[in-house]
Amino acid sequence: MDLSVVVPIYNEQETVEQLCRRLHDALSQIRYSYEIILVDDGSTDETWPLLLACAERYDHMRLIRFRRNFGQTAAMSAGFHQAGGDVVVTLDADLQNDPDDIPKLLEKMEEGYDVVSGWRKDRKDPFMSRRLPSMIANWLISRITGVHLHDYGCTLKAYRRDIIEDVHLYGEMHRFIPALASWVGGRVGEVDVGHHPRRFGQSKYGLSRTVRVILDLITVKFLMRYSLGPMQIFGKIGLFFAVPGLFLFALMIGGHLSFLAFDTTLASELVKRPFWLVSATMLLFLGMQFISIGLVAEIQIRTYHETQGKRTYVLRETHPPPVEAP
Ligand code: UDP
Ligand code: MG
């Protein structure tokens, strides 16, 4: 199988039929073998019966249904797990993305990219509630992850499947797949795609999504940078606090031992002021806390990798290729 198209769907009864027809029309034109995986993310309207009817009418359709609403990222993840194609394309069910743009993405993939992201150059969403937060989020994500794309939020993207097999998705993280993919050594590209206003139903998100995306961004950054050496960051923060704390304590002890014959006027002044005593204690405690967290995290990393036989690197290929077990 060459291509799997994954669509997360939540309460989109007005567009389901048109979506299936347009996907079918767009994909029957191309020269790849394909499947369409429609993931019903716990819809409470007529979406599922309509999907069943579409699966009867058109070939190559596979349906997945969640027991309840788990969110768009989970729905995409379920699609990835079922996907059999070498390339996986995702798009929205509300027809804001254009199924006719899929061949464009595939063409770009053929240039040797592992991920190709759609860029809604002329985005048709409200400015204040959508485009502005998204501009800020895009700027932040590209600064922080170091993967420079114009539009992380666009669902219309293509991925080589072996790349997403190495990527695990939590929370709102589907928009970080390009960053995660580049982290495991993937090449990431971009093409501009069409975008349409939402004509039916309602958007499932509001402004609160921005907060969730930013929190996830912190997680992703942390995982990308420090997951193999958490002590490197916690330890540094710990030392930043502990070293001045220790220094203050040393001065104060020096103040008590003034008979040791070095100039201790400053030190004995310090001892008299509770502010310095409290500061020194706080700094030292904070420092020890961070260093301990770092150590515990180091143990966790080892548990994570060793219990699951996970490797700390990702292979591209070996020569000669490994012999598959019969
Ligand atoms: N979606 C989903 N589960 C959810 C929310 C949304 O599967 O909990 C789907 C939804 O049906 C649509 C896509 O994710 O196909 C994008 O959602 P929406 O159009 O509401 O987001 P927006 O385009 O407004 O950012
Ligand atoms: Mg939409």
Side-chain angles (χ1 to χ4, degrees):
M1 172 95 56
D2 298 323
L3 172 68
S4 301
V5 176
V6 171
V7 192
I9 310 175
Y10 179 51
N11 289 350
E12 307 281 6
Q13 57 185 7
E14 295 89 349
T15 53
V16 163
E17 276 172 332
Q18 202 186 342
L19 171 80
C20 292
R21 178 163 44 78
R22 292 193 43 196
L23 276 173
H24 175 80
D25 291 349
L27 293 174
S28 46
Q29 309 282 333
I30 61 177
R31 60 197 159 78
Y32 295 102
S33 58
Y34 67 93
E35 63 181 349
I36 301 171
I37 303 179
L38 302 160
V39 188
D40 178 359
D41 182 13
S43 298
T44 48
D45 61 0
E46 289 302 302
T47 298
W48 180 252
L50 289 170
L51 283 176
L52 284 174
C54 289
E56 284 294 310
R57 197 169 327 141
Y58 304 109
D59 293 334
H60 311 290
M61 300 241 170
R62 291 169 62 193
L63 307 183
I64 300 175
R65 187 185 193 185
F66 281 177
R67 281 199 186 276
R68 66 165 173 84
N69 179 238
F70 283 93
Q72 186 183 353
T73 301
M76 289 168 64
S77 203
F80 292 157
H81 286 136
Q82 299 284 323
D86 298 328
V87 171
V88 181
V89 168
T90 54
L91 83 166
D92 279 349
D94 53 6
L95 292 175
Q96 289 196 270
N97 296 138
D98 212 328
D100 298 321
D101 280 329
I102 295 177
K104 223 188 208 176
L105 292 180
L106 296 176
E107 238 167 65
K108 187 87 179 169
M109 287 294 275
E110 279 168 7
E111 291 172 25
Y113 288 95
D114 297 297
V115 176
V116 173
S117 176
W119 171 17
R120 297 165 290 181
K121 231 176 188 166
D122 183 17
R123 188 168 165 187
K124 303 285 197 308
D125 273 326
F127 183 76
M128 281 313 271
S129 66
R130 275 308 150 81
R131 298 209 319 267
L132 182 67
S134 150
M135 273 156 68
I136 299 171
N138 284 328
W139 179 80
L140 260 182
I141 299 175
S142 88
R143 279 295 303 267
I144 292 184
T145 61
V147 177
H148 301 290
L149 292 179
H150 292 91
D151 188 3
Y152 292 87
C154 181
T155 311
L156 184 55
K157 290 190 169 77
Y159 315 91
R160 206 163 289 288
R161 193 171 54 128
D162 50 357
I163 272 279
I164 43 181
E165 270 169 9
D166 287 321
V167 168
H168 302 276
L169 297 178
Y170 300 89
E172 282 286 306
M173 294 204 178
H174 63 266
R175 72 195 60 241
F176 299 120
I177 302 177
L180 295 167
S182 129
W183 183 34
V184 295
R187 270 184 81 198
V188 179
E190 195 170 45
V191 287
D192 53 77
V193 296
H195 193 243
H196 307 280
R198 201 182 230 285
R199 287 203 290 134
F200 307 95
Q202 286 171 359
S203 173
K204 310 296 181 292
Y205 300 104
L207 262 181
S208 68
R209 176 164 67 184
T210 319
V211 178
R212 281 183 292 172
V213 167
I214 287 173
L215 291 177
D216 277 345
L217 178 62
I218 298 177
T219 315
V220 166
K221 173 67 184 178
F222 179 77
L223 290 177
M224 283 171 74
R225 186 99 186 257
Y226 295 111
S227 67
L228 290 178
M231 187 60 175
Q232 294 300 324
I233 180 150
F234 289 115
K236 267 178 209 138
I237 301 176
L239 288 180
F240 177 78
F241 289 119
V243 169
L246 277 174
F247 180 70
L248 279 176
F249 269 119
L251 267 180
M252 287 182 209
I253 292 171
H256 274 295
L257 306 179
S258 46
F259 57 89
L260 283 184
F262 64 98
D263 178 22
T264 52
T265 36
L266 170 68
S268 42
E269 273 305 300
L270 283 184
V271 182
K272 287 184 209 140
R273 294 170 200 268
F275 172 77
W276 291 105
L277 188 64
V278 173
S279 304
T281 317
M282 290 284 281
L283 285 172
L284 201 60
F285 265 106
L286 260 179
M288 298 313 270
Q289 287 286 354
F290 274 104
I291 292 175
S292 319
I293 293 176
L295 285 174
V296 174
E298 287 282 345
I299 296 174
Q300 289 223 312
I301 289 294
R302 283 160 181 67
T303 318
Y304 171 77
H305 281 92
E306 285 164 28
T307 52
Q308 301 181 60
K310 282 198 191 303
R311 292 173 294 194
T312 52
Y313 51 84
V314 185
L315 292 183
R316 168 170 288 179
E317 58 191 327
T318 53
H319 183 81
V323 188
E324 301 231 343

